[in-house]
Amino acid sequence: MPLDSDSPVRPALKRPVLRTLRIGCVPLTDAAPLLVAEELGLFDSVGLRVALSLEASWAAIRDKLAFGALDAAHLLGPLPLALAAGLDGVKAKLTVAAGIGANGNTITLSRPLAEALGRFTPPLAASAFAALVRRRDGAGERPLTLAVVFPYSSHNYLLRYWLASGGLDPDRDLRLVTVPPPMVAQRLQDGLIDGFCAGEPWGSQAAALGVGTIALSSGDIWPNHPEKVLAFDAAYAAQDPESAIACTAALIAATRWLEEPANQAEAVRILQRRAFPGLAAPTIAAAFDGMAQGLPQAAPLRFRTATLPRREQAAWFLRQMRRWGHVPAGLSDSAALAPWRQDIWRAAAARLREPEPPIASQPPADLPETA
């Protein structure tokens, strides 16, 4: 397939490739830049041999990256912070070379729960959700169970922020559980959870199945928030910086291609074939269309403007991790945020003449501690 003139047309490596670069990703719409880069030969165009591995869960990605089975990964934004702190007994040094997408998650509620809320127009106000939680508590009903895709994820911290903005304590007033992204719609259908925050296309899939209602998107909480990152094992990036730069260049080129409206249908076909063979094309296309259950999203999934990794944005997630007691008090900001580097992105961008994207928005103000 011909590529546009902005794509890399010469190898970005300055020496022969040393070995195959092993990259992991989870089947999500925001994995599109990596899937597209492989499908369209963009890794080949920069002289890389890449083995792209679709993994079933974020725990699998984390462990394979930490213990050397992967060299790089499509990774949850807060996970490098967790690995720097050694949370859950898994510690690793990473290098965050680029961002992969902004926005792209939905908070999806079961149909019975949405009906109990009464008629509302998305985005659902946190205060309205909190009022329902308190009514249920007053009536002696069981606490609601909401799923997130991993404890150390934007999904968890943005959901917690939204709940807390309504006056709820997520650890006291509800039950939060972890469910891998490909399983959330089925868990909702089975009645095992009352809602979830997950990346697309899984909210749209729950809606298509008639078991879920999309209440709001993560971009309604923090417009244009950073979502996934391209993270390398730090030792790999140090030993083979040329491959890290070339991989980042291929990813940037893929985001350029993805943001061309004329390429959207082909992007959907690639994702359907590579990641979502059981899903209908309109379900996959929703995020590219900027739609959630037929309604336009105020802050839809974006790729190209999110590629520059910004330490100041990661710092917001670190503050949320501190607020909820998820990192040790002795962990310094500098140690936690050390993985975020812009030199690899800048080297890759220079080879493509890619301009630095503007800062899309500031993170939301920190909320006061709950009593």
Side-chain angles (χ1 to χ4, degrees):
M1 177 173 297
L3 303 179
D4 61 56
S5 60
D6 283 338
S7 298
V9 294
R10 63 185 185 282
L13 289 177
K14 295 183 178 178
R15 47 101 191 106
V17 65
L18 297 181
R19 63 177 175 85
T20 299
L21 174 62
R22 302 164 299 176
I23 306 176
C25 65
V26 167
L28 290 161
T29 308
D30 61 24
L34 291 172
L35 293 166
V36 161
E38 184 177 55
E39 188 78 13
L40 301 185
L42 296 177
F43 291 127
D44 294 336
S45 78
V46 295
L48 278 179
R49 292 196 305 266
V50 167
L52 195 58
S53 173
L54 282 173
E55 303 291 343
S57 70
W58 291 113
I61 290 274
R62 176 198 62 185
D63 293 350
K64 288 187 176 184
L65 190 58
F67 298 113
L70 292 172
D71 303 307
H74 157 247
L75 203 64
L76 295 161
L79 246 181
L81 303 169
L83 285 165
L87 302 185
D88 299 337
V90 184
K91 190 168 187 175
K93 291 184 178 180
L94 303 181
T95 294
V96 174
I100 306 180
N103 309 313
N105 308 319
T106 64
I107 295 176
T108 304
L109 306 178
S110 69
R111 291 290 293 274
L113 185 56
E115 289 168 3
L117 282 161
R119 185 180 297 275
F120 67 87
T121 300
L124 175 65
S127 58
F129 185 80
L132 174 62
V133 170
R134 295 188 182 101
R135 288 198 302 272
R136 290 175 56 92
D137 183 60
E141 298 184 61
R142 64 170 177 80
L144 294 172
T145 298
L146 300 181
V148 295
V149 299
F150 200 69
Y152 316 118
S153 63
S154 65
H155 315 69
N156 188 18
Y157 297 115
L158 289 167
L159 177 61
R160 284 172 173 269
Y161 184 93
W162 181 72
L163 293 168
S165 73
L168 296 174
D169 184 332
D171 296 317
R172 182 187 63 205
D173 299 323
L174 303 102
R175 179 171 173 257
L176 297 185
V177 299
T178 299
V179 177
M183 298 173 64
V184 288
Q186 186 63 53
R187 293 286 177 88
L188 194 68
Q189 185 171 27
D190 293 342
L192 299 176
I193 57 176
D194 299 298
F196 61 80
C197 182
E200 281 289 87
W202 302 116
S204 291
Q205 172 66 353
L209 291 171
V211 300
T213 296
I214 296 175
L216 69 158
S217 72
S218 55
D220 293 318
I221 302 168
W222 176 3
N224 301 310
H225 67 83
E227 184 43 43
K228 308 301 188 304
V229 297
L230 174 64
F232 291 89
D233 171 76
Y236 178 93
Q239 294 166 7
D240 194 357
E242 277 295 316
S243 288
I245 293 168
C247 183
T248 303
L251 181 135
I252 293 171
T255 67
R256 289 175 168 179
W257 186 88
L258 281 163
E259 301 243 323
E260 288 294 329
N263 296 330
Q264 179 178 310
E266 179 62 16
V268 171
R269 285 191 288 269
I270 290 171
L271 264 67
Q272 187 175 39
R273 183 170 64 254
R274 298 292 305 277
F276 313 117
L279 271 57
T283 299
I284 302 167
F288 291 106
D289 291 335
M291 305 295 286
Q293 207 163 346
L295 296 175
Q297 296 191 48
L301 178 64
R302 290 288 181 263
F303 293 108
R304 185 174 179 180
T305 55
T307 57
L308 179 64
R310 299 184 187 274
R311 187 173 294 187
E312 63 272 22
Q313 291 181 323
W316 186 86
F317 288 113
L318 179 59
R319 292 198 299 276
Q320 307 315 301
M321 296 174 82
R322 293 194 190 283
R323 181 209 171 119
W324 301 111
H326 292 179
V327 292
L331 178 70
S332 69
D333 285 10
S334 59
L337 296 169
W340 272 261
R341 289 171 42 185
Q342 294 188 351
D343 55 311
I344 293 174
W345 184 91
R346 293 187 184 284
R351 295 176 184 185
L352 302 177
R353 297 187 294 279
E354 175 75 1
E356 178 175 323
I359 297 175
S361 70
Q362 296 299 321
D366 294 340
L367 295 172
E369 297 285 340
T370 53

